[in-house]
Amino acid sequence: MIRKKHKFSISPYLFVAPSVLLFSLTILVPILLTFAFSFYDWNGFGKMNFIGFDNYARAFHDRIYLLSYWHIFIYIILTVILEVFCGLILAGLITMNRRGSGLFRIAFFTPVMLPMIVVSYLWKFVYNSDFGLLNAVLNSVGLESWTRVWLGDPKFAIYAVTFVSGWVYAGYYMTIFYAGIQRIPNDMYESAYLDGATNWDIFFKIKIPMIRDLVDVAIMLCVLGGFQAFDLFYVMTNGGPYNSTEIVTTYVVKVVFNNMSIGYGSALAVIMSIVIAFIGILTNKLKKKDSGSLEY
Amino acid sequence: MAAAALSAKDRENNNTGNSLIQWLSRISYYGFMIVLSCFYFYPMIWLVLSSFRENRDIFTSPFKFPDHINFQNWVDAWKIGHISTYATNSVIVTSLTVIFILLFASMAAFSFSKLRFRGSNGLLMLFVIGLFMPLQSFFIAQSYIFDRLNLKDSYMGLILPYIGVGLPLAVFLLKSFLDSIPKDLIEASRIDGCNDRILFTRIILPLLGPGLATVAIFSSLNAWNELLLAMLYIQNDDLKTLPVGLLAFSSRYVTNYKLLFSALSLITIPMILAYVFFHKHIVSGLTEGSLK
């Protein structure tokens, strides 16, 4: 049997064709077309006027647009703490080999399973100033002075929304870290206990260093996922009060629909995509640089 | 007997300080974990309990257990809220999306992982874009194209973009599954005369089982929860999926809180049940998905 080594075969292309075609038609072509739209002054119906980089110039002077990056920055920093850091602590707590820790693990993961729209409404109600759970709890423990219109207060709204994100996803990252900790061989703990290590020592000196690479991945997921946040903000505050929770994604949607500025909205979307691509490349570089020899 | 009792007592005496600390640490551990669990569960319990109340009671006595468990609110929400229609639409859109993602992504992953062809790296790189870009980076033009193709207000108008959005992660996950399958297996089946199609259907697909399950969990959760595109592309109330349906429901019954709470409970319970029955698979699926 003689087989030519580099025979051209059509079949690999047939196998990738459906995916590549569908992905191109629904995602890639629209991305490129959005880029094209961004050079026009256009409301979606009337005439398209080519205006070059005017939309981009306008974007860099748009106070709300710039503010929305500041909000997403706050949101990402806080979610890394609330989700990744708290998730790490939760993972440490449920791997202490106490009885019943499996139940706690289920409890902390449950919010991940709730549809995001349900989470958004649930917490909108919890924060409600008239009948919300939060103010009711504060009243019942004698902290009446702390009660407020949580989502209506420009100073607190963004933290209130961010907190909900932490409530949902800390359990998700906990589960990732839990899986990593399960893979640490048991004899490491045994020899540490023989040396007199406490649970704290084991957490900080064995568990965390051994899942260091997972923590890096989690931070990357959290940062890039933060830019994709939309549902929670859209349903809970829709950018308000007074733009205090406006993030990039909600603002783009608002510009396109409320103002009917397809061209300007496209420019905002293009800038956002470039920022995300830049941060994606950056985090990937950082990750490669300091990732050790640990491999899962 | 006496000796045994004595030695046990001795041990206890010797370790009093130590066991007191252990006891305290156990108490504080469980105390902390129980408070934390309440913080996780109580909002959900409150949601369900409130759905049994009257609007007036929701305001006046938020902690009180409802006088009687009456499902009338749920029945009302189900009937006037078209929730059965929304749920049916969600099931149709989600299941078709997942089927196509599984089929197309496994074919592509097979080709990328086990067949050599010119341009494979370049094509793979294209999919990287899809991993990071939010919907907002393409929905403007996508909406324009779908308008032109008359895809809006149809199931296809949601299924197509959901497949497009889901494919990149699915392809990368399945490819990394296939990369761990030894080449010898492929070589051996080639010598036995398998062509690419038979290799895929007889050898690769059965091996991909766990990978396909992970992808199915990921993509069904995403499609089930998707809000923005469903909101933009579907205006017809009979075709709305659950997230958009709920949005419409809440804007219609802004102040009828018992109906809102009931609708939310109705939507939550199937997800919680699915989680209770499949939690091992869901958890391992989601963790593997993000670790690969």
Side-chain angles (χ1 to χ4, degrees):
Chain A
M1 220 207 295
I2 302 159
R3 211 153 42 105
K4 273 190 199 163
K5 258 220 151 147
H6 293 289
K7 195 179 67 173
F8 175 81
S9 160
I10 188 86
S11 90
Y13 296 99
L14 291 180
F15 275 99
V16 294
S19 294
V20 171
L21 279 178
L22 244 163
F23 180 71
S24 307
L25 288 177
T26 56
I27 315 286
L28 288 179
V29 170
I31 286 182
L32 295 175
L33 199 57
T34 305
F35 184 64
F37 285 168
S38 71
F39 297 105
Y40 289 87
D41 177 27
W42 186 37
N43 62 12
F45 303 105
K47 227 178 106 237
M48 294 175 77
N49 296 317
F50 185 83
I51 52 166
F53 283 94
D54 282 8
N55 283 327
Y56 289 90
R58 186 176 153 200
F60 286 107
H61 292 100
D62 187 334
R63 199 186 58 84
I64 301 173
Y65 188 57
L66 299 178
L67 196 64
S68 71
Y69 279 96
W70 171 242
H71 291 150
I72 205 70
F73 176 74
I74 296 176
Y75 175 77
I76 286 172
I77 297 285
L78 288 178
T79 48
V80 167
I81 296 168
L82 283 173
E83 293 169 17
V84 181
F85 182 72
C86 292
L88 200 53
I89 291 173
L90 289 179
L93 284 169
I94 57 159
T95 52
M96 272 170 62
N97 281 328
R98 302 256 194 208
R99 213 173 282 207
S101 56
L103 278 179
F104 296 127
R105 187 158 58 91
I106 292 174
F108 303 150
F109 187 79
T110 308
V112 180
M113 282 307 294
L114 298 182
M116 210 50 185
I117 185 102
V118 170
V119 171
S120 314
Y121 274 111
L122 170 59
W123 278 86
K124 204 176 166 179
F125 292 156
V126 169
Y127 286 134
N128 188 294
S129 57
D130 295 324
F131 61 84
L133 200 54
L134 182 56
N135 280 351
V137 168
L138 290 174
N139 279 328
S140 68
V141 295
L143 289 169
E144 285 88 353
S145 58
W146 289 23
T147 61
R148 49 173 45 84
V149 193
W150 294 99
L151 293 174
D153 188 331
K155 258 196 239 139
F156 286 91
I158 189 158
Y159 302 108
V161 178
T162 308
F163 185 80
V164 178
S165 181
W167 182 78
V168 177
Y169 289 112
Y172 176 61
Y173 290 109
M174 168 200 78
T175 311
I176 294 180
F177 298 142
Y178 171 82
I181 291 173
Q182 292 302 94
R183 295 180 207 179
I184 300 172
N186 248 329
D187 42 349
M188 286 191 91
Y189 300 135
E190 276 158 27
S191 53
Y193 277 123
L194 281 181
D195 291 340
T198 63
N199 277 326
W200 286 110
D201 295 333
I202 288 185
F203 181 57
F204 284 112
K205 293 188 183 137
I206 297 179
K207 286 175 183 170
I208 292 186
M210 288 294 284
I211 58 163
R212 181 58 212 281
D213 56 332
L214 286 187
V215 179
D216 289 345
V217 171
I219 292 174
M220 194 176 104
L221 286 176
C222 196
V223 171
L224 287 168
F227 274 101
Q228 309 202 8
F230 174 75
D231 296 13
L232 207 59
F233 283 85
Y234 181 79
V235 177
M236 287 180 77
T237 59
N238 195 14
Y242 310 111
N243 303 317
S244 64
T245 59
E246 200 72 81
I247 54 168
V248 188
T249 49
T250 55
Y251 190 57
V252 171
V253 172
K254 210 173 269 181
V255 164
V256 170
F257 286 93
N258 298 7
N259 310 351
M260 294 310 283
S261 327
I262 303 287
Y264 185 46
S266 300
L268 299 184
V270 170
I271 298 172
M272 175 191 71
S273 309
I274 292 170
V275 170
I276 294 174
F278 181 72
I279 288 174
I281 294 166
L282 203 72
T283 49
N284 212 23
K285 280 256 162 61
L286 288 177
K287 209 187 119 226
K288 278 203 184 113
K289 211 167 131 195
D290 68 9
S291 73
S293 55
L294 276 173
E295 217 178 289
Y296 284 103
Chain B
M1 185 75 184
L6 189 71
S7 74
K9 207 180 171 200
D10 271 1
R11 212 182 302 141
E12 206 173 281
N13 280 340
N14 283 341
N15 292 344
T16 313
N18 205 354
S19 74
L20 184 71
I21 290 172
Q22 271 179 7
W23 187 77
L24 276 176
S25 99
R26 185 168 305 160
I27 290 288
S28 54
Y29 176 82
Y30 283 110
F32 181 70
M33 294 301 256
I34 286 169
V35 169
L36 210 56
S37 307
C38 288
F39 167 66
Y40 270 89
F41 268 125
Y42 193 69
M44 294 184 250
I45 294 170
W46 176 68
L47 169 77
V48 176
L49 289 184
S50 299
S51 72
F52 296 122
R53 295 197 176 97
E54 285 305 310
N55 282 330
R56 177 168 25 88
D57 301 335
I58 291 172
F59 280 85
T60 50
S61 44
F63 295 115
K64 221 181 82 195
F65 202 80
D67 303 328
H68 47 272
I69 303 292
N70 181 354
F71 286 94
Q72 192 54 46
N73 290 344
W74 290 30
V75 175
D76 292 346
W78 177 266
K79 273 196 192 141
I80 63 174
H82 306 293
I83 290 179
S84 57
T85 316
Y86 302 145
T88 315
N89 293 334
S90 274
V91 169
I92 293 170
V93 169
T94 303
S95 48
L96 285 174
T97 302
V98 172
I99 289 168
F100 281 114
I101 289 180
L102 291 181
L103 178 67
F104 293 164
S106 56
M107 286 165 63
F110 163 62
S111 190
F112 281 129
S113 174
K114 295 294 178 232
L115 308 172
R116 282 161 182 274
F117 64 100
R118 217 176 251 273
S120 67
N121 279 335
L123 287 179
L124 207 52
M125 278 305 289
L126 277 188
F127 284 111
V128 175
I129 298 169
L131 285 179
F132 300 124
M133 287 302 153
L135 305 174
Q136 280 79 0
S137 54
F138 54 77
F139 82 86
I140 300 173
Q142 197 185 54
S143 165
Y144 172 81
I145 296 171
F146 280 22
D147 231 6
R148 288 291 142 108
L149 298 176
N150 261 328
L151 279 169
K152 285 189 176 173
D153 272 328
S154 74
Y155 288 135
M156 264 303 144
L158 287 185
I159 294 168
L160 286 177
Y162 289 178
I163 299 172
V165 170
L167 275 174
L169 184 64
V171 169
F172 281 105
L173 267 172
L174 294 175
K175 181 181 173 295
S176 77
F177 260 89
L178 286 179
D179 285 344
S180 61
I181 292 173
K183 268 218 146 70
D184 308 0
L185 190 72
I186 312 292
E187 305 279 311
S189 19
R190 284 239 189 270
I191 290 169
D192 288 344
C194 285
N195 62 24
D196 289 343
R197 188 176 58 82
I198 294 173
L199 189 64
F200 176 67
T201 50
R202 297 284 163 80
I203 314 276
I204 298 291
L205 269 187
L207 282 171
L208 264 181
L212 292 177
T214 303
V215 171
I217 291 167
F218 250 105
S219 27
S220 49
L221 281 178
N222 286 339
W224 188 264
N225 288 334
E226 206 286 323
L227 173 69
L228 177 66
L229 298 183
M231 195 167 76
L232 301 182
Y233 297 165
I234 306 290
Q235 304 300 326
N236 184 346
D237 204 44
D238 293 332
L239 295 176
K240 280 179 180 158
T241 53
L242 275 175
V244 203
L246 195 67
L247 218 55
F249 182 91
S250 77
S251 59
R252 226 174 291 149
Y253 303 99
V254 193
T255 51
N256 199 340
Y257 291 107
K258 65 179 185 188
L259 285 188
L260 283 171
F261 276 108
S262 300
L264 289 171
S265 305
L266 275 169
I267 292 172
T268 309
I269 279 160
M271 299 300 280
I272 297 288
L273 285 181
Y275 174 49
V276 168
F277 286 120
F278 303 112
H279 83 267
K280 282 224 167 82
H281 303 279
I282 291 173
V283 167
S284 67
L286 287 179
T287 43
E288 265 172 62
S290 43
L291 301 191
K292 287 272 171 186

